[in-house]
Every structure is written in structure tokens, then in C-alpha cells.
Amino acid sequence: MRALLLQAGERLLVDCDSASLARLLTEGGDRAWRSPEGARADVHVVVESRHAPFDVRGWAVLTRGGHAKDGAVVLANACGSGFDLRVAVTDGRLEVTARWRPPVRERAAARLLRSRFHLLARAVLLQYPALWWAGCRGRTPLHASPVALGSSASPEAPPGAVGSVPLLAGPGGAGRSTLLLGAVAAGGRTVSDNLCVTDGGDCFGLVEPVRVEGDGGRRMAYGRTERPLPGRVESLRPDRLVLLRRTPSGRPAVRPLHPAQAARALVAATYLAGELRRYWPFAAALALGTGLGPAHPPVAEVADRIARRLPAHELVLGDSPEEGLAALYALATGTTGMTESATAPETAETRDTAETPETAEAPS
């Protein structure tokens, strides 16, 4: 396998001479692979068939299972995936060499818990290296997805909503995938179902299959299955921020959010994301060992930047999250009416300011 993937805004080149791992990686690229001919890679991942450990004699101990020397880093059993990684920056490009060397526990888990193994292998080979290199270039991961609203025969897609790009965010299970796929089915476009990277402006997607409830595709955790994500584009620039919250019952409701409330919700959703739970120590180890990039991505700073730049609303979904699609389109057209029960509650952060989410602007 030798193929290129646009991942988190970076050109990721993968070389893999293992047929079984090549099939896994091909599936993880969600039909977005392209020919590498004529393209210069930003990140190069080589998956070797060798099983010998990397030679770290004379290297400094970075952390348990990690060593560093002259800006290169070796991570044994990276993120509990069973892969050892050697990471270095050469001629302005991130070079990652991977070898499958699982300890006994990880080898058993890979055989018994196939969905777990697929997710971890994708993370350390296709996602985390690109996420970290994007971070070195000023882009931060968020558990959020922008979607460009389109038009179709759907009665929920009024003409005034076409072209609006809400950034949908919320913790897992809040209904983001349901809304996003509904908008895409109505002619919309998106960069990802789960994660994006951004500096507060353009958002670039993390490529992976979408995981939803229902039949078809690879079975994953929480009763979900995987399928290709339709309507994928490389990047989008959101024009509003929509934070999702789920309640046990009731109809969808919308209320405006103060920038501080919106930023907190966006940060919380990002740290609650299981997809990033292993990324934070991965990024810290590479930053410490290479001397490049932030030791911790500036999630709070970027969330605050977005919340101050964009109008923000909370969309509360009941037991049928698909009903929120009409409310999402109404937000895009500015036709949502506020009721007393949907008014933002007074907090210590909002009490002393006269700004509303609709009028607040980033300081010039």
C-alpha cells in the first residue's frame, strides 16, 4: 500500500507492506485515499513488517515506554495500540516509522476486541501523527463538526439556509451525528463526523468512517456500526456555533449563549471525547521529546476565539434528535423565536455585561 490522505489539513503519505494492515488502513481512510504521485507529503508514515525493537541504547528516558535523542522520539506500545513508533522531523516533514510489537495483553485484546484494535491502529497510524503535526502549525483539535447547509427536496431546508455553516459541537450521544447526517442528506457538506482541527477560522476534518446506530458496516462500541461519510470536503469556515444538549424528552428548543458559556461547552465536549483521550499524552510526549509544538494544545484559547467571533446558540434535543434539523435550519435563517423558557439564564459571567451573543464581537 502506498497512498495519500488529506488528514487534518495535512498531506499524509502511508507506506505499508502488510496486506492485513493495509486493509485496515484502507478502511480507516473512508474512501478518501488518493494517488501520491506529484504530491509532497507533510507527514510520512511507514508501517514496517519488522518486529524487532527500535534501538534506543544511549537514548534519554522521556517517560515510561518513551525515549528521546536528537529530536527523535521512540514510543513503545504507543497509546496501548501494540505499535512501537519512531517519530522524527526531517527536512520539514514528520517521519513516523511503525512496527507491530504488542505485549501479551495488547495482542490478546487485538484478537478478542477487534473494534478496539481498529480504532487504536487508526489513531496511532492515521490520526494522531497528522493531528500533532497540524498542532505544530497552529491548528487545535476540537470535538466539533462544521456542516455547510444545502438544499434539496427536504421540506426542512428553506432557501435562506443554503450556504450557512454552523459548527456543531456537543458531547458524545448528544445527537450531533444525527443532525449532521440529516443535513448532508439534504444536500449539505461536512469535513468530518467527529473531530476537526482549527485555529479559530477554517476547520479541517479528521478522516474516518461515520459511526451511527443501525445495521450495516463494521460493528463498533455502543451498538453502533460504521459506514462511509457522504458529502465530505476538505475544509469549511463556520459562521455560527451551535452547542447541542440532550434531554430525555420534549421538543427541540433553542436559546442564545454568552461567549463564555459557549466556549466552556465547546471545551468540555472536546475533553469528554473518547477519541482524544489517548491523544493528550501522545502530544505531550512528542512535544517534550522533539522540542516542537505545544505540550498541550490550546483548546480553551481556540474555543474562546471561536465563541467571541461567532454567534452562539444552544440547541436542546429531546428523545428524537432528528427533529432538531428543522430548528438548525431555522437558526441559519434567523427565524427562531425565543420563549421565556429558552432564554439564557443569568450567570456570574453574563450578569455584568450588556452584550448579547448576537452582538458580541471579538476585540479589534
Side-chain angles (χ1 to χ4, degrees), residues 4 19 49 53 60 64 89 105 108 115 140 167 184 199 232 236 261 264 273 281 325 329:
L4 189 77
S49 57
R64 184 174 289 107
V89 178
R105 185 178 66 175
S115 63
T140 296
L167 179 63
V184 169
D199 60 2
R232 188 191 300 278
L236 289 169
Q261 294 174 306
R264 181 193 294 112
L325 189 58
Y329 281 114

Side-chain angles (χ1 to χ4, degrees), residues 16-355:
C16 177
D17 55 11
S18 165
S20 60
L21 287 176
R23 287 192 297 271
L24 183 154
L25 298 178
T26 298
E27 179 184 76
D30 197 33
R31 303 181 181 177
W33 293 102
R34 59 183 66 184
S35 170
E37 299 304 322
R40 185 186 186 280
D42 304 303
V43 181
H44 185 201
V45 175
V46 178
V47 185
E48 296 184 339
S49 57
R50 298 176 59 192
H51 301 294
F54 292 104
D55 187 0
V56 293
R57 289 175 295 182
W59 290 43
V61 175
L62 184 65
T63 183
R64 184 174 289 107
H67 294 78
K69 182 178 181 181
D70 298 332
V73 173
V74 167
L75 299 177
N77 191 25
C79 303
S81 66
F83 288 94
D84 288 4
L85 301 183
R86 186 186 188 281
V87 182
V89 178
T90 304
D91 296 329
R93 182 167 78 173
L94 184 66
E95 299 281 354
V96 181
T97 305
R99 295 177 183 173
W100 173 240
R101 300 188 64 258
V104 173
R105 185 178 66 175
E106 277 68 20
R107 185 180 296 276
R111 291 177 177 175
L112 298 175
L113 305 172
R114 298 298 295 173
S115 63
R116 175 185 181 273
F117 170 65
H118 277 245
L119 292 176
L120 287 176
R122 292 175 193 170
V124 300
L125 300 178
L126 300 183
Q127 298 172 2
Y128 288 2
L131 280 180
W132 184 73
W133 196 236
C136 291
R137 298 171 182 247
R139 296 190 292 275
T140 296
L142 295 176
H143 190 233
S145 305
V147 56
L149 301 180
S151 63
S152 71
S154 171
E156 296 167 329
V162 176
S164 179
V165 186
L167 179 63
L168 304 180
R176 188 186 66 254
S177 294
T178 300
L179 286 186
L180 185 143
L181 290 175
V184 169
R189 295 290 183 267
T190 187
V191 303
S192 175
D193 165 60
N194 232 0
L195 301 173
C196 71
V197 296
T198 181
D199 60 2
D202 292 341
C203 295
F204 299 83
L206 192 75
V207 175
E208 60 178 340
V210 60
R211 291 184 286 277
V212 296
E213 295 181 357
D215 297 328
R218 179 177 296 281
R219 289 180 295 178
M220 307 301 285
Y222 306 111
R224 298 178 298 173
T225 58
E226 288 190 333
R227 61 189 65 174
L229 176 65
R232 188 191 300 278
V233 293
E234 181 182 352
S235 67
L236 289 169
R237 189 176 183 86
D239 58 15
R240 66 194 66 245
L241 176 59
V242 179
L243 282 305
L244 304 176
R245 182 164 61 87
R246 190 82 174 267
T247 58
S249 61
R251 303 283 295 176
V254 176
R255 69 180 181 94
L257 285 180
H258 185 273
Q261 294 174 306
R264 181 193 294 112
L266 182 53
V267 171
T270 297
Y271 284 110
L272 284 170
E275 296 86 350
L276 292 171
R277 180 166 61 89
R278 291 175 171 84
Y279 176 67
W280 312 122
F282 177 89
L286 292 192
L288 184 61
T290 64
L292 301 172
H296 184 74
V299 175
E301 292 87 338
V302 171
D304 183 71
R305 194 178 306 154
I306 292 172
R308 291 183 178 277
R309 184 176 70 85
L310 303 179
H313 288 80
E314 181 182 63
L315 175 54
V316 183
L317 304 174
D319 54 356
S320 299
E322 62 275 6
E323 294 179 352
L325 189 58
L328 182 64
Y329 281 114
L331 267 176
T333 57
T335 58
T336 299
M338 293 294 118
T339 64
E340 184 176 353
S341 62
T343 302
E346 184 181 54
T347 68
E349 293 161 323
T350 61
R351 190 176 298 118
D352 297 327
T353 177
E355 288 184 325

